[in-house]
Amino acid sequence: MYPNRLCPSTDFNPYIDTTAYLEEFFYVQASSLGIRWNISDQKNDPHLCALMDQQIKQIWKLLNIVTKPVKCHELITGATRSSSNYRIGKQMYELVKKNHWYIQQRQFYVIE
Protein backbone atom coordinates (compact mmCIF):
# COMPACT_ATOMS: atom_id res chain seq x y z
CA MET A 1 0.00 0.00 0.00
CA TYR A 2 1.09 3.59 -0.26
CA PRO A 3 2.62 5.75 0.91
CA ASN A 4 5.71 4.06 2.30
CA ARG A 5 7.58 5.63 5.23
CA LEU A 6 11.37 5.80 5.06
CA CYS A 7 14.01 6.84 7.58
CA PRO A 8 17.35 6.99 5.73
CA SER A 9 19.40 6.74 8.93
CA THR A 10 17.93 3.32 9.73
CA ASP A 11 16.55 2.05 6.42
CA PHE A 12 19.49 2.76 4.10
CA ASN A 13 22.73 0.86 3.81
CA PRO A 14 25.10 2.28 6.48
CA TYR A 15 27.59 3.27 3.77
CA ILE A 16 25.16 5.61 1.97
CA ASP A 17 25.45 9.33 2.67
CA THR A 18 22.06 10.26 4.13
CA THR A 19 22.74 13.97 4.65
CA ALA A 20 20.83 15.01 1.51
CA TYR A 21 17.66 13.30 2.70
CA LEU A 22 15.06 14.40 5.20
CA GLU A 23 15.17 12.59 8.52
CA GLU A 24 11.96 10.84 7.52
CA PHE A 25 9.87 10.99 4.37
CA PHE A 26 7.12 9.23 2.49
CA TYR A 27 7.21 7.93 -1.06
CA VAL A 28 5.12 6.01 -3.53
CA GLN A 29 6.61 3.45 -5.86
CA ALA A 30 6.47 4.32 -9.55
CA SER A 31 5.03 1.66 -11.75
CA SER A 32 5.06 0.82 -15.39
CA LEU A 33 2.82 -0.90 -17.83
CA GLY A 34 3.85 -3.32 -20.49
CA ILE A 35 1.83 -5.20 -23.03
CA ARG A 36 3.21 -8.31 -24.64
CA TRP A 37 1.97 -11.17 -26.70
CA ASN A 38 3.51 -14.11 -28.42
CA ILE A 39 5.04 -12.84 -31.66
CA SER A 40 4.38 -16.21 -33.27
CA ASP A 41 0.69 -15.22 -33.31
CA GLN A 42 1.50 -12.97 -36.26
CA LYS A 43 2.68 -15.94 -38.27
CA ASN A 44 -0.15 -18.23 -37.24
CA ASP A 45 -3.07 -15.78 -37.30
CA PRO A 46 -2.58 -12.37 -38.95
CA HIS A 47 -6.18 -11.41 -38.16
CA LEU A 48 -5.64 -12.03 -34.43
CA CYS A 49 -2.41 -10.05 -34.53
CA ALA A 50 -4.21 -7.11 -36.17
CA LEU A 51 -6.93 -7.22 -33.50
CA MET A 52 -4.34 -7.28 -30.72
CA ASP A 53 -2.48 -4.36 -32.28
CA GLN A 54 -5.73 -2.38 -32.45
CA GLN A 55 -6.51 -3.22 -28.82
CA ILE A 56 -3.06 -2.06 -27.67
CA LYS A 57 -3.51 1.26 -29.45
CA GLN A 58 -6.86 1.71 -27.68
CA ILE A 59 -5.30 0.91 -24.29
CA TRP A 60 -2.52 3.47 -24.77
CA LYS A 61 -5.03 6.05 -25.98
CA LEU A 62 -7.11 5.58 -22.81
CA LEU A 63 -4.05 5.72 -20.58
CA ASN A 64 -3.03 8.98 -22.20
CA ILE A 65 -6.51 10.38 -21.55
CA VAL A 66 -6.52 9.53 -17.81
CA THR A 67 -2.90 10.52 -17.11
CA LYS A 68 -0.78 13.56 -17.83
CA PRO A 69 2.92 14.06 -18.50
CA VAL A 70 4.87 15.00 -15.42
CA LYS A 71 8.14 16.82 -14.90
CA CYS A 72 10.24 15.79 -11.92
CA HIS A 73 13.78 16.03 -10.64
CA GLU A 74 15.98 13.59 -8.81
CA LEU A 75 16.15 14.32 -5.10
CA ILE A 76 19.93 13.98 -4.80
CA THR A 77 21.40 15.15 -8.11
CA GLY A 78 18.63 17.50 -9.17
CA ALA A 79 18.61 15.91 -12.64
CA THR A 80 15.36 16.78 -14.42
CA ARG A 81 13.19 14.12 -15.99
CA SER A 82 10.48 15.16 -18.39
CA SER A 83 8.94 13.23 -21.22
CA SER A 84 5.70 11.65 -22.29
CA ASN A 85 7.03 8.43 -20.73
CA TYR A 86 6.60 9.91 -17.26
CA ARG A 87 2.87 10.15 -16.65
CA ILE A 88 0.65 10.32 -13.58
CA GLY A 89 -3.06 10.22 -12.89
CA LYS A 90 -4.81 13.33 -11.60
CA GLN A 91 -5.68 11.91 -8.17
CA MET A 92 -2.16 10.59 -7.50
CA TYR A 93 -0.63 13.85 -8.70
CA GLU A 94 -2.79 15.79 -6.22
CA LEU A 95 -1.91 13.41 -3.35
CA VAL A 96 1.82 13.57 -4.10
CA LYS A 97 1.82 17.37 -4.30
CA LYS A 98 -0.42 17.91 -1.26
CA ASN A 99 1.48 15.52 1.00
CA HIS A 100 5.00 16.18 -0.35
CA TRP A 101 5.56 12.55 -1.19
CA TYR A 102 8.47 11.45 -3.34
CA ILE A 103 8.20 9.09 -6.28
CA GLN A 104 10.62 6.19 -6.30
CA GLN A 105 11.88 4.60 -9.48
CA ARG A 106 15.30 3.35 -8.41
CA GLN A 107 16.07 6.93 -7.24
CA PHE A 108 13.73 9.31 -5.42
CA TYR A 109 12.05 12.05 -7.45
CA VAL A 110 10.18 15.22 -6.61
CA ILE A 111 7.31 16.18 -8.89
CA GLU A 112 7.42 19.79 -10.03
Side-chain angles (χ1 to χ4, degrees):
M1 301 302 177
Y2 65 86
N4 299 301
R5 179 180 165 272
L6 189 67
C7 295
S9 62
T10 57
D11 295 334
F12 282 5
N13 180 315
Y15 303 105
I16 294 176
D17 179 10
T18 60
T19 58
Y21 294 94
L22 296 173
E23 190 174 307
E24 173 184 281
F25 61 90
F26 292 88
Y27 70 95
V28 290
Q29 186 71 43
S31 62
S32 60
L33 177 66
I35 302 170
R36 185 174 87 171
W37 71 89
N38 187 340
I39 59 172
S40 67
D41 290 338
Q42 185 174 8
K43 295 175 188 171
N44 297 332
D45 190 345
H47 177 71
L48 176 61
C49 186
L51 289 174
M52 291 165 64
D53 188 50
Q54 181 182 7
Q55 184 179 30
I56 289 168
K57 288 176 183 174
Q58 290 172 340
I59 291 169
W60 286 119
K61 184 177 179 178
L62 287 172
L63 286 171
N64 280 292
I65 290 170
V66 299
T67 61
K68 66 179 193 170
V70 67
K71 184 177 181 180
C72 55
H73 64 270
E74 190 179 327
L75 181 61
I76 298 302
T77 68
T80 300
R81 305 277 190 247
S82 179
S83 82
S84 60
N85 293 334
Y86 292 91
R87 303 186 67 83
I88 192 168
K90 181 182 177 184
Q91 183 180 13
M92 182 55 80
Y93 178 83
E94 290 171 358
L95 285 170
V96 167
K97 292 296 282 184
K98 176 183 171 188
N99 296 299
H100 306 285
W101 295 343
Y102 298 122
I103 304 290
Q104 183 188 27
Q105 186 177 28
R106 290 183 297 281
Q107 302 295 323
F108 293 97
Y109 295 92
V110 178
I111 290 182
E112 297 178 4

